[in-house]
C-alpha cells in the first residue's frame, strides 16, 4: 500500500494549500512535457501493480471487472477503478503510455521503464503468503538485475553508457504495507508479532530494505523515490475490523508503521548524505498525505473517506470488490476504491500534489528530482 510521524494540517490550511497546488499542477498534468526522464522503473505492491499478478495462483489479483472500470484498457490487473499513482506520475513525466508490467515486457521496450510491482508483496519474502503467490521485493530487485543484463545488449556492452542512461531514469519503490497487514498484524498465520516488538520489527524491515535499495543502487539506480507506509490503520479494511473506543482508526497499527516511517526518513537522509555516493533519494510521505485526505477530504472534493466504493460488509471493507459487483454511483467522490486501495481520483490528486510541491516530499519535489 501508499507512507513518519508527522503532524496533520488544520482544515483551513489544507484547503488553501490543496487548491493552490492542484491548480498549479493541473496545467502540468494536462500538458506534460515530453522526455523529462528516459525511463521509469517501479517496485512495490498492489498500490502500483499493473498486471504482474494476473497469471499467478493468488487471491491478490484484480484482472476482473469492476476493477479497471474507468481505465481505457479495462481490467488490466490494477487494484483500482482506473489509473494508479505511478500511472498518473508517468503522465506527469511526459510518457505517452503507461509503464508496462514486467510479466509481459521484453526487448527494447525495457529501456523506457518496467513495472515490477506485485500485489501482496513485501520487504520480507514470506509476507503475503497467506494470499498465495507473489513477487517479493527481493525477487523484484532480482528481476531488475535481469533487465539490466538484457539492456546491456542494447548498449553493445558499454557499461559506462548503460550506467549513464540509468542514472537519468526515475526509480520508485513503495514497500512495507503488506509486511504489517499481511504479516506482523496477522498473528494467526505469522509468528513475527510474537518474535518481534514493534521497534524490533521496524528495525529488521529497515535492515532488509536498506540492503534491497543498496542493490538497486549497485545495479544503476540514482534517482529514487521511496514511499512511507500510508495510514493503514484507517483504511476501510481496518475500520471494518476495529472496535476501538478512543479512535475510529486502529492506532496500534498506525503507531507501529510510524516507527518504520521515521526510520525510513533517516535512511533517506543517510543515503543522500554520502551513504550512496551520487544518488539522490526523495522520501514520499504517504502517511501524511493519507492522513490529510482522510481528515479534510471534503476540501479535495471527496464526500466519502471511510468506505470503499466497491466491497462487502461494514465500510465495504470486510471483503474486497467481487467480480461484476455493483460499485458506488459516483466513484470520483470516494477516497477509497475498495477495502485497501485509493480510487483513480485520489491517485491522480496525490500525483499532482507530490509532483511539484514539497508538501509531502523530502528533501525536494519529484519534479526537482527529474531535473538533476
Amino acid at each position: 500500500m501508499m507512507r513518519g510521524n508527522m503532524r496533520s494540517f488544520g482544515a483551513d490550511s489544507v484547503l488553501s494549500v490543496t487548491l493552490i497546488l492542484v491548480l498549479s499542477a493541473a496545467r502540468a498534468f494536462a500538458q506534460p512535457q515530453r522526455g523529462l526522464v528516459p525511463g521509469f522503473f517501479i517496485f512495490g505492491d498492489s498500490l502500483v501493480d499493473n498486471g504482474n499478478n494476473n497469471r499467478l495462483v493468488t487471491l491478490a489479483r484484480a484482472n476482473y471487472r469492476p476493477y479497471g472500470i474507468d481505465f481505457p484498457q479495462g481490467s488490466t490487473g490494477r487494484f483500482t477503478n482506473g489509473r494508479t499513482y505511478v500511472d498518473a506520475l508517468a503522465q506527469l513525466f511526459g510518457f505517452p503510455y503507461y509503464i508496462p508490467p514486467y510479466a509481459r515486457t521484453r526487448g527494447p521496450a525495457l529501456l523506457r521503464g518496467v513495472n515490477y510491482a506485485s500485489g501482496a508483496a513485501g520487504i520480507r519474502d514470506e509476507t503475503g503468503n497467506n494470499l498465495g503467490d507473489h513477487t517479493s521485493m527481493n525477487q523484484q530487485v532480482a528481476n531488475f538485475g535481469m533487465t539490466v543484463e538484457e539492456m546491456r545488449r542494447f548498449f553493445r556492452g558499454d557499461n559506462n553508457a548503460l550506467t549513464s542512461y540509468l542514472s537519468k531514469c526515475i526509480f520508485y519503490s513503495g514497500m512495507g504495507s503488506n509486511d504489517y497487514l499481511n504479516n506482523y498484524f496477522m498473528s494467526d498465520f505469522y509468528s513475527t508479532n510474537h518474535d518481534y516488538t514493534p521497534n524490533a520489527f521496524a528495525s529488521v524491515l529497515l535492515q532488509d530494505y536498506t540492503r534491497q535499495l543498496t542493490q538497486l543502487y549497485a545495479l544503476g539506480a540514482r534517482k529514487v523515490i521511496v514511499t512511507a507506509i500510508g495510514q493503514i490503520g484507517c483504511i476501510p479494511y481496518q475500520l471494518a475490523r476495529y472496535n476501538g473506543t478512543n479512535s475510529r482508526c486502529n492506532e496500534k497499527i498506525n503507531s507501529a508503521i510510524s516507527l518504520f516511517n521515521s526510520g525510513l526518513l533517516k535512511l533517506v537522509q543517510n543515503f543522500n548524505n554520502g551513504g550512496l555516493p551520487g544518488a539522490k533519494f526523495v522520501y514520499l510521505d504517504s502517511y501524511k498525505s493519507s492522513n490529510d485526505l482522510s481528515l479534510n477530504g471534503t476540501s479535495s472534493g471527496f464526500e466519502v473517506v471511510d468506505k470503499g466504493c466497491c466491497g462487502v460488509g461494514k465500510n465495504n471493507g470486510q471483503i474486497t470488490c467481487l467480480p461484476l459487483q455493483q460499485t458506488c454511483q459516483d466513484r470520483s467522490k470516494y477516497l477509497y476504491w475498495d477495502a485497501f486501495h485509493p480510487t483513480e481520483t485520489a491517485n491522480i490528486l496525490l500525483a499532482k500534489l507530490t509532483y511539484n510541491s514539497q508538501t509531502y516530499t523530502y528533501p525536494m519535489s519529484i519534479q526537482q528530482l527529474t531535473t538533476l
Side-chain angles (χ1 to χ4, degrees):
M1 286 203 43
M2 317 199 284
R3 320 175 201 263
N5 186 15
M6 302 288 182
R7 300 186 302 272
S8 61
F9 292 151
D12 291 339
S13 61
V14 168
L15 174 59
S16 59
V17 169
T18 300
L19 289 176
I20 292 171
L21 293 176
V22 169
L23 288 173
S24 62
R27 186 177 305 160
F29 189 80
Q31 297 178 322
Q33 301 178 51
R34 298 300 175 191
L36 290 178
V37 294
F40 186 21
F41 296 90
I42 299 155
F43 305 82
D45 52 29
S46 59
L47 285 171
V48 293
D49 184 356
N50 63 349
N52 285 308
N53 277 20
N54 288 356
R55 296 181 181 179
L56 300 183
V57 180
T58 178
L59 295 174
R61 289 200 319 198
N63 56 336
Y64 58 85
R65 294 291 289 262
Y67 287 95
I69 191 171
D70 297 310
F71 194 72
Q73 285 78 47
S75 303
T76 59
R78 289 165 167 83
F79 289 75
T80 184
N81 58 306
R83 283 166 284 182
T84 66
Y85 173 82
V86 292
D87 288 330
L89 204 56
Q91 289 185 278
L92 289 169
F93 289 153
F95 287 98
Y97 48 80
Y98 300 109
I99 304 302
Y102 176 74
R104 57 177 177 83
T105 308
R106 296 295 182 272
L110 296 170
L111 294 169
R112 298 188 294 271
V114 185
N115 186 324
Y116 302 89
S118 173
I123 294 169
R124 293 172 68 94
D125 286 338
E126 82 275 6
T127 289
N129 283 346
N130 54 298
L131 296 171
D133 200 8
H134 61 276
T135 308
S136 68
M137 183 59 173
N138 280 327
Q139 187 58 52
Q140 290 181 37
V141 173
N143 288 343
F144 177 64
M146 289 187 280
T147 295
V148 171
E149 286 304 309
E150 188 168 352
M151 289 172 65
R152 202 179 307 279
R153 296 189 296 112
F154 304 113
F155 289 88
R156 300 181 183 275
D158 187 338
N159 290 334
N160 289 334
L162 175 57
T163 299
S164 177
Y165 182 83
L166 290 173
S167 71
K168 298 179 177 68
C169 297
I170 295 289
F171 291 75
Y172 169 98
S173 183
M175 276 291 183
S177 295
N178 286 309
D179 293 292
Y180 287 94
L181 285 174
N182 288 299
N183 192 326
Y184 192 70
F185 286 103
M186 191 170 281
S187 55
D188 55 341
F189 197 94
Y190 299 95
S191 65
T192 46
N193 195 276
H194 303 290
D195 298 337
Y196 301 100
T197 65
N199 267 304
F201 189 66
S203 294
V204 297
L205 281 184
L206 289 164
Q207 188 175 37
D208 287 343
Y209 205 23
T210 299
R211 173 181 49 79
Q212 292 159 350
L213 293 172
T214 301
Q215 288 175 335
L216 286 181
Y217 170 83
L219 289 166
R222 291 297 180 271
K223 299 181 182 181
V224 187
I225 303 163
V226 291
T227 67
I229 301 173
Q231 200 179 35
I232 57 176
C234 301
I235 60 176
Y237 174 75
Q238 290 299 333
L239 298 182
R241 293 159 54 90
Y242 183 62
N243 294 311
T245 56
N246 297 323
S247 171
R248 72 181 187 90
C249 301
N250 188 331
E251 297 302 340
K252 182 179 180 181
I253 292 180
N254 286 340
S255 176
I257 62 176
S258 292
L259 296 172
F260 173 86
N261 287 342
S262 60
L264 184 61
L265 177 58
K266 292 176 182 176
L267 179 61
V268 166
Q269 292 169 329
N270 177 62
F271 283 164
N272 287 340
N273 291 331
L276 294 179
K280 183 58 69 176
F281 280 69
V282 167
Y283 175 83
L284 177 57
D285 193 351
S286 294
Y287 188 99
K288 183 178 179 181
S289 63
S290 58
N291 182 46
D292 287 351
L293 288 179
S294 294
L295 290 176
N296 307 284
T298 54
S299 65
S300 298
F302 296 110
E303 295 178 1
V304 183
V305 299
D306 60 349
K307 298 179 177 65
C309 171
C310 184
V312 177
K314 181 182 177 183
N315 295 82
N316 277 347
Q318 290 179 297
I319 300 176
T320 196
C321 200
L322 299 175
L324 304 179
Q325 185 178 352
Q326 186 82 21
T327 71
C328 62
Q329 190 168 16
D330 189 347
R331 296 179 285 275
S332 68
K333 301 299 183 184
Y334 278 68
L335 176 60
Y336 289 100
W337 162 249
D338 62 10
F340 302 95
H341 309 98
T343 57
E344 176 185 64
T345 300
N347 285 325
I348 293 173
L349 174 61
L350 288 169
K352 292 174 180 178
L353 290 175
T354 56
Y355 180 64
N356 62 0
S357 161
Q358 288 183 242
T359 304
Y360 302 116
T361 57
Y362 172 88
M364 65 183 70
S365 70
I366 293 172
Q367 183 182 40
Q368 288 173 315
L369 184 65
T370 68
T371 65
L372 297 179

